[in-house]
Amino acid sequence: MPFPTQIHPVAGSVAEAGADLAVVAVRAGAEGPEPVAGPPGALPDGLDARLPAPLAELIAHYELTGRAGETAQFAADLGGGLVRVALLGVGEGTAADLRTAGAALARLAKGRSRAAVPAGLPGPGGDGGTGGDGGEALAAFAEGALLASYRFSLASDPKGPEPVGEIVLACGDGGGEAKPVEAVRRGTALAGAAALARDLINTPSARKDPAWLAGRATEVAARAGLQATVWDEADLEREGFGAILAVGQGSSRPPRLVRLDYAPEGAESHVVLVGKGVTFDTGGLSLKPNDNMKLMKTDMSGAAVVIGAMSALAELGCRTRVTGLLAVAENAVSGSAQRPGDVLTTYGGRTVEVLNTDAEGRLVMADALDYAVAELEPDALVDVATLTGAAKVALGTGTGALFATDDALAGALLEAGDRSGEPLWRMPLTEEYAPTVSSPVADLANIGTSGDYGHPGATEAALFLREFTGGLPWAHLDVAGPGRSMSEQGLLTKGGTGFAARTLLRWLEA
């Protein structure tokens, strides 16, 4: 779904923007909170005389500190009739602060047609968010505002106020409308990648079968200048993708494997992204409880994140060659479903004993990882999946679990997550636990076979996946916790979050 909110710069002051919500930014200064004037003319002359009290007194009255996302509202006539005026905290002007402030503004402005804010939001070095940091601060403001305005609804009469139609950046009288354009474009591209992932995740599974998801990936590829290749069930059978086929064999809607290629001229490195694409997960014959199953339309979040990230690579000018692999299947219950105790053969020829049919995500990704190693020769592999409840137990719903075989790769992803406001925490690939994924009748088992270590589920899953990475630098993002939101807050709306799409893009850019 397209963003309901548009962000763009305009000439003149916030009072001249025709907005029904005028914003004054408040910074957390060294000597206390202080209003941000923005570029010359962005705030109207004689503003204090038009307000219920001088700005400094209003800031003190509402006990504002300038903390990012802090707000206070009152009515005033700025020269064109009575409007709502908001004081908006922007913290110290860092990218993280402005992302939070943008989200707070979008939530505050719901139900209004237009909000106006001075374009000269503070950035590091006092550059207005558009200079020395490459526009990262202002881009983050746009990113936060758009993500918080995201809405997905199939209701005939959606409840609640509509997102604000426009957020305009008042550039004053200095003719500086062009300066923020690039930063806003970048923020929009990053937010758009996450929003695309959210749309795919939030689509009900009655519509979202493997063929549908493959079709959406192909459409995105056509728009984003990517090459798309799709394997149907006959192709998968002929080429030996036994794990994807086994997971999908219980469904009347057969599995798919999708490859998306981005190959910019002069690329000197090649990264493969692998996304888990289980379009609905009943647990198979190892059936999930009903309450757990309600969320399982989101179990293809990893594939959605990869599609979202791939969609924005060209827009952001990424110079890395990137291949996305989407392992897509529906894990259903039927007479043809795989059984606990079955043994399957992966693309790379290894055998896996299936001891729990609800540990299916690692199976479909094993085939994709095998293919990447055998056919693509990448410099690094990164996979994304809503893989284990254990990761959610360990880290909660705000932080993703990161497992990696390469310290430099792990460090780069941790830094990109921090810059994106998508925190990751590196978890151990404990070698002592490795034998637990062995099987007495096959090369591997898809769940831990020993209780000696208390069944560390997230680590067992990561150790299983590592077996298919061919010794390449590899990272595994288990986003089972932050991949879904149960409430509306900050950047998030209820449902799929698209967590890690923006992290992957910032990492790939770097």
Side-chain angles (χ1 to χ4, degrees), residues 132-509:
D133 65 342
E136 186 72 13
L138 186 56
F141 178 83
E143 186 182 358
L146 290 171
L147 287 171
S149 72
Y150 172 85
R151 187 173 192 174
F152 184 93
S153 177
L154 301 177
S156 57
D157 183 18
K159 298 177 177 62
E162 292 289 328
V164 62
E166 286 182 280
I167 296 175
V168 297
L169 304 171
C171 296
D173 52 20
E177 300 96 293
K179 205 170 184 184
V181 167
E182 176 59 25
V184 170
R185 185 194 65 78
R186 173 174 162 75
T188 300
L190 289 162
L196 170 59
R198 289 179 179 183
D199 282 348
L200 296 170
I201 296 164
N202 290 328
T203 298
S205 293
R207 178 185 306 176
K208 185 173 57 187
D209 67 1
W212 182 92
L213 186 58
R216 301 297 78 71
T218 301
E219 291 173 3
V220 169
R223 294 197 301 268
L226 311 173
Q227 181 178 347
T229 307
V230 178
W231 286 257
D232 64 15
E233 63 272 32
D235 300 324
L236 295 170
E237 178 73 36
R238 183 176 60 255
E239 297 189 28
F241 290 94
I244 296 175
L245 286 165
V247 171
Q249 72 187 36
S251 175
S252 62
R253 309 192 296 179
R256 296 288 186 269
L257 176 67
V258 182
R259 173 177 167 176
L260 302 176
D261 282 288
Y262 171 75
E265 188 175 350
E268 296 181 356
S269 61
H270 181 201
V271 169
V272 170
L273 305 178
V274 175
K276 172 187 172 183
V278 176
T279 56
F280 192 79
D281 183 17
T282 65
L285 295 182
S286 305
L287 194 67
K288 289 181 182 289
N290 184 65
D291 282 349
N292 290 4
M293 213 184 297
K294 290 176 185 176
L295 301 174
M296 287 303 104
K297 72 177 182 180
T298 69
D299 209 26
M300 37 61 71
S301 292
V305 163
V306 172
I307 294 170
M310 298 289 296
S311 76
L313 291 171
E315 177 70 15
L316 293 171
C318 179
R319 302 308 307 157
T320 301
R321 179 186 168 199
V322 184
T323 300
L325 296 175
L326 319 175
V328 188
E330 181 175 65
N331 191 24
V333 178
S334 75
S336 61
Q338 64 175 343
R339 295 156 292 272
D342 283 358
V343 174
L344 58 82
T345 303
T346 66
Y347 180 85
R350 272 166 293 191
T351 56
V352 178
E353 183 183 15
V354 179
L355 297 178
N356 187 329
T357 64
D358 195 22
E360 84 300 329
R362 67 200 70 180
L363 297 177
V364 298
M365 291 200 297
D367 263 355
L369 290 167
D370 260 349
Y371 173 83
V373 171
E375 306 297 337
L376 300 178
E377 300 181 348
D379 298 296
L381 287 164
V382 178
D383 71 67
V384 190
T386 47
L387 204 62
T388 67
K392 182 177 177 180
V393 170
L395 297 173
T397 59
T399 302
L402 165 65
F403 295 85
T405 56
D406 183 89
D407 290 342
L409 175 59
L413 286 166
L414 288 168
E415 192 271 339
D418 183 62
R419 288 175 58 208
S420 299
E422 295 181 319
L424 300 167
W425 190 265
R426 190 174 183 184
M427 303 285 278
L429 284 165
T430 308
E431 289 300 330
E432 187 180 4
Y433 300 167
T436 195
V437 294
S438 64
S439 163
V441 300
D443 296 325
L444 296 164
N446 77 324
I447 60 170
T449 56
S450 169
D452 292 347
Y453 311 108
H455 290 302
T459 301
E460 288 175 349
L463 288 167
F464 177 87
L465 290 172
R466 189 183 65 173
E467 294 294 316
F468 300 90
T469 60
L472 292 169
W474 162 74
H476 162 56
L477 305 182
D478 189 337
V479 299
R484 308 175 180 103
S485 175
M486 304 309 292
S487 62
E488 308 266 337
Q489 58 179 335
L491 306 181
L492 304 179
T493 52
K494 190 172 181 179
T497 65
F499 184 96
R502 294 177 296 116
T503 293
L504 290 175
L505 284 168
R506 283 187 167 91
W507 169 62
L508 289 166
E509 283 185 293

Side-chain angles (χ1 to χ4, degrees), residues 4-183:
T5 300
Q6 302 298 312
I7 302 179
H8 55 88
V10 297
S13 72
V14 295
E16 298 166 328
D20 47 359
L21 178 67
V23 177
V24 178
V26 179
R27 183 172 186 166
E31 313 245 329
E34 56 189 15
V36 178
L43 294 179
D45 293 335
L47 178 62
D48 277 355
R50 296 182 178 274
L51 301 178
L55 261 178
E57 293 182 19
L58 287 166
I59 291 170
H61 172 77
Y62 288 109
E63 299 180 344
L64 301 180
T65 65
R67 175 179 53 84
E70 190 177 52
T71 62
Q73 299 183 72
F74 49 84
D77 186 343
L78 300 184
L82 202 63
V83 296
R84 179 66 59 176
V85 177
L87 304 178
L88 174 67
V90 295
E92 297 177 357
T94 64
D97 285 341
L98 287 179
R99 187 181 297 111
T100 298
L105 173 58
R107 295 196 177 280
L108 189 68
K110 282 187 176 181
R112 301 190 175 276
S113 60
R114 175 181 279 196
V117 60
L121 295 168
D127 59 17
T130 61
D133 65 342
E136 186 72 13
L138 186 56
F141 178 83
E143 186 182 358
L146 290 171
L147 287 171
S149 72
Y150 172 85
R151 187 173 192 174
F152 184 93
S153 177
L154 301 177
S156 57
D157 183 18
K159 298 177 177 62
E162 292 289 328
V164 62
E166 286 182 280
I167 296 175
V168 297
L169 304 171
C171 296
D173 52 20
E177 300 96 293
K179 205 170 184 184
V181 167
E182 176 59 25

